Amino acid sequence: MSINASKTKPMTFKRTTSATGFNYSLDNKLLDHWTYIKDLGIVLDSSFGYSLHIDQLCCRASSMMELIMRTARHGLSFNAHVLLYKSLVLQLLEYALVVWSPYQLGLIDRLQSAQNKFLSYLDWREPHRHLNLLRLLPLVVRREVADVVFLSKILNFEVVCPRLLERIAFRLPSATRSCRLFELGHLNRNYLQFSSVPRMLRLGNEMCSGVDFFCNQL
């Protein structure tokens, strides 16, 4: 099988400002080096960050909300507004969030501002409505719930991925009063501490006293 040089994109992942550069060529053609790439809808940055991905998400969500607002001029009920937001905007803001869920306050606020914009619009359009009845939890809470549900699915083999399962270490019972279920190794970098599996295990330890992770009805 031959490799198409025009579709080949070399990329170097690094956490430092400088990296060892190397020019790659294929079929005597020098390949352009990329600093980010989009794979399955997720923008992967060369510095292991997802700020560019979140920026694009917020732009797409803003454009979709503007479409909903323009449609509302022709007559749209309150419930229709909410349904369109959940169907067209919320699914954008939460697509594959287990992979890219942010821990930086700036990115968390940027994502939440998209939902706040919609709530402000609804409050302006129909001020007599009680917006708390919409049950739209803050996006950071929804991401935490999604992490816990995904962890439960891995443990109950609803998500069959041996490479993820082997990274989950259980804590052996001890004489201490700690009720932690999962063992967390020492991670000395923020991007490692808040990566998908350590983040899910940390949330699992916080909620294990009230959540049965081995029940597939979570």
Side-chain angles (χ1 to χ4, degrees):
M1 182 180 67
S2 60
I3 299 177
N4 190 335
S6 62
K7 297 182 179 179
T8 303
K9 303 176 181 180
M11 183 173 171
T12 302
F13 289 92
K14 62 185 185 303
R15 291 294 298 178
T16 58
T17 56
S18 60
T20 302
F22 186 83
N23 294 325
Y24 296 92
S25 60
L26 184 63
D27 296 332
N28 296 322
K29 180 182 178 180
L30 188 64
L31 301 177
D32 294 329
H33 209 81
W34 288 64
T35 56
Y36 69 91
I37 191 170
K38 192 171 186 178
D39 185 29
L40 298 177
I42 301 176
V43 179
L44 303 175
D45 192 283
S46 61
S47 62
F48 295 101
Y50 292 101
S51 58
L52 182 58
H53 175 73
I54 291 174
D55 286 343
Q56 293 189 10
L57 275 186
C58 291
C59 288
R60 293 176 62 192
S62 179
S63 299
M64 194 61 68
M65 281 192 289
E66 289 175 2
L67 175 62
I68 295 174
M69 294 174 188
R70 289 197 302 268
T71 304
R73 298 172 186 171
H74 305 287
L76 201 63
S77 68
F78 181 85
N79 291 333
H81 275 90
V82 177
L83 181 61
L84 286 175
Y85 172 77
K86 291 181 178 179
S87 302
L88 302 178
V89 180
L90 200 56
Q91 60 91 17
L92 283 177
L93 296 174
E94 296 185 338
Y95 171 75
L97 56 83
V98 174
V99 176
W100 55 263
S101 182
Y103 63 91
Q104 302 95 328
L105 292 179
L107 297 180
I108 292 174
D109 292 341
R110 178 152 169 69
L111 284 167
Q112 184 60 40
S113 66
Q115 179 163 290
N116 292 343
K117 178 181 178 180
F118 174 73
L119 294 176
S120 298
Y121 168 74
L122 284 184
D123 188 48
W124 167 80
R125 187 176 178 84
E126 299 193 38
H128 61 282
R129 293 277 187 169
H130 297 287
L131 298 183
N132 58 330
L133 297 179
L134 296 179
R135 297 180 181 178
L136 285 175
L137 295 173
L139 295 181
V140 64
V141 176
R142 292 178 61 89
R143 288 194 293 272
E144 289 178 350
V145 172
D147 278 343
V148 172
V149 170
F150 189 76
L151 176 59
S152 176
K153 288 182 177 180
I154 294 175
L155 296 176
N156 289 281
F157 300 99
E158 293 182 48
V159 173
V160 181
C161 184
R163 296 191 65 180
L164 283 178
L165 187 60
E166 69 183 11
R167 294 185 60 190
I168 298 176
F170 292 96
R171 182 174 180 270
L172 297 177
S174 64
T176 64
R177 295 182 179 180
S178 175
C179 61
R180 290 186 296 125
L181 179 62
F182 306 102
E183 192 65 50
L184 291 171
H186 175 68
L187 301 171
N188 57 358
R189 294 289 186 271
N190 280 340
Y191 74 93
L192 292 175
Q193 292 180 20
F194 292 95
S195 59
S196 299
V197 174
R199 185 185 69 244
M200 287 190 291
L201 297 183
R202 189 162 51 251
L203 282 171
N205 282 336
E206 294 175 3
M207 300 182 182
C208 63
S209 59
V211 175
D212 184 1
F213 284 96
F214 302 99
C215 175
N216 57 11
Q217 299 298 321
L218 184 61

